[in-house]
Amino acid sequence: MKQVLSVAQFVLALCANPFARAQSGGTPAMPGPMRDITSLQLSQHLAPSWNLAPSREAIGSEAAWDHRTVTKALLDTIKAAAFNSVRIPLSWTRYADANDHLRADRMARATEVVNQARNAGLHVIIDIHSDSAWMQPTYARQAAANARIGKLWTQIAHHFRTYDDHLLFAAHHEVMGAGDHHAPTFESCTVQNSFNQTFVNAVRATGGNNAVRHLVVQGYNGHIDHTCDFLAVPTDTVAGRLMVEVHCDGPARASGGHVTAQFNRMRQRFIDGLGVPVLVGELPAAGRLSVDGVRTYRTPWDPYIASAARAHGVVPTYSAK
């Protein structure tokens, strides 16, 4: 599992402090009770986190996008490398019928991967991934997108409703207008916020452990500034069970000082201001080893980003890209 073992510096930097060493504790169990802890407390058990390559969203087969098939051995190795959680990107609409009923075989495989991760001793975060084509933040598309979000999450949440709080749900992935990386308009951020609210409502309505499950919402495009400026944290039926996810540029596009300032802004806005923890769901500094000179930037970047995350109390999720 070379992919996992190549990030030793990142792991060591994270594990050099109590925030990163928080233990999951106990024997992994899928069905079970929810602990009486807030999302802020739970976030301390998630770091360091591993962003699984997009095997489970690839078209054709899990290896179709040049990523390895997810196996128990891979997940065991991630845990052995000192990671405490894994983010599993999942595409659902590609494996649904015309009425968005999820296929039983795809649900079974998703369940198998979640169970393998849990049995490895990892917390697990699953989302709706690679669905930006239909999840457009416009008034014209809002009703249809919300209906679809509600239908998909009702099915997903119902299926996993007995799982304990080692399983978290994340609303979606980098929602934005097609090809639009600019700051969102009032329309786009209003619609984006409605997607998060629909997600929370759909999950809570399925009952069981989902009534108090820890849920993760994103700001516009997962962008830190857009999230701090425009995200409206959803109204919830239970207190202290929400987290915010952002994504962070790698060293090719962001200086160390810039990242430190961004982490500080997230801490002030969400952690200190609202008691809502922040996950950096993607840190794409892993890079592609085929690119010349990638290690020149990657070697100093990994421990730096880990230390910056640790200092600001956010949960970094290493991306094996």
Side-chain angles (χ1 to χ4, degrees), residues 10-22 47-48 306-307 309-311:
F10 181 82
V11 176
L12 290 174
L14 279 169
C15 291
N17 65 93
F19 175 79
R21 288 200 304 269
S307 297
R310 174 189 66 209

Side-chain angles (χ1 to χ4, degrees), residues 90-93 102 107 110-111 126-128 149-161 163 167 169-171 199 203 206 210 213:
L90 291 166
S91 178
W92 299 95
T93 55
L102 299 177
M107 182 65 84
T111 304
I126 62 173
D127 67 2
I128 291 181
I149 291 167
K151 188 167 188 176
L152 291 171
W153 271 114
T154 295
Q155 294 173 79
I156 300 164
H158 185 267
H159 180 81
F160 289 107
R161 69 191 182 282
Y163 280 56
L167 176 64
F169 299 153
F199 157 70
V203 172
T206 60
N210 292 333
R213 188 170 305 284

Side-chain angles (χ1 to χ4, degrees), residues 72-110:
K72 178 181 182 298
L74 173 62
L75 293 162
D76 285 342
T77 303
I78 291 171
K79 178 61 177 178
F83 289 89
N84 283 324
S85 61
V86 60
R87 177 179 182 255
I88 305 177
L90 291 166
S91 178
W92 299 95
T93 55
R94 290 173 181 166
Y95 306 106
D97 65 19
N99 295 313
D100 287 329
H101 296 129
L102 299 177
R103 278 173 33 188
D105 61 329
R106 303 307 299 187
M107 182 65 84
R109 176 58 179 148

Side-chain angles (χ1 to χ4, degrees), residues 52-71 95 106 109-110 112-113 116:
L52 200 65
S55 307
R56 293 295 305 129
E57 55 174 327
I59 300 171
S61 72
E62 291 185 22
W65 292 353
D66 197 29
H67 293 289
R68 68 182 73 225
T69 300
V70 181
T71 63
Y95 306 106
R106 303 307 299 187
R109 176 58 179 148
E112 180 181 34
V113 173
Q116 287 174 339

Side-chain angles (χ1 to χ4, degrees), residues 271-312:
I271 300 173
D272 294 340
L274 300 173
V276 175
V278 175
L279 316 180
V280 182
E282 292 186 6
L283 286 172
R288 302 187 186 279
L289 299 184
S290 60
V291 176
D292 291 339
V294 68
R295 291 190 185 279
T296 302
Y297 301 99
R298 183 184 184 192
T299 299
W301 180 257
D302 291 346
Y304 171 78
I305 202 75
S307 297
R310 174 189 66 209
H312 293 86

Side-chain angles (χ1 to χ4, degrees), residues 16 23 41 51 76 79 83 117 134 143 154 177 179 221 235 237 240 250 271 293 295 310 318:
Q23 299 298 311
Q41 292 170 320
N51 191 45
D76 285 342
K79 178 61 177 178
F83 289 89
W134 59 266
T154 295
N221 196 26
T235 300
T237 55
I271 300 173
R295 291 190 185 279
R310 174 189 66 209
Y318 199 83

Side-chain angles (χ1 to χ4, degrees), residues 43 144 205 314:
S43 70
V314 304

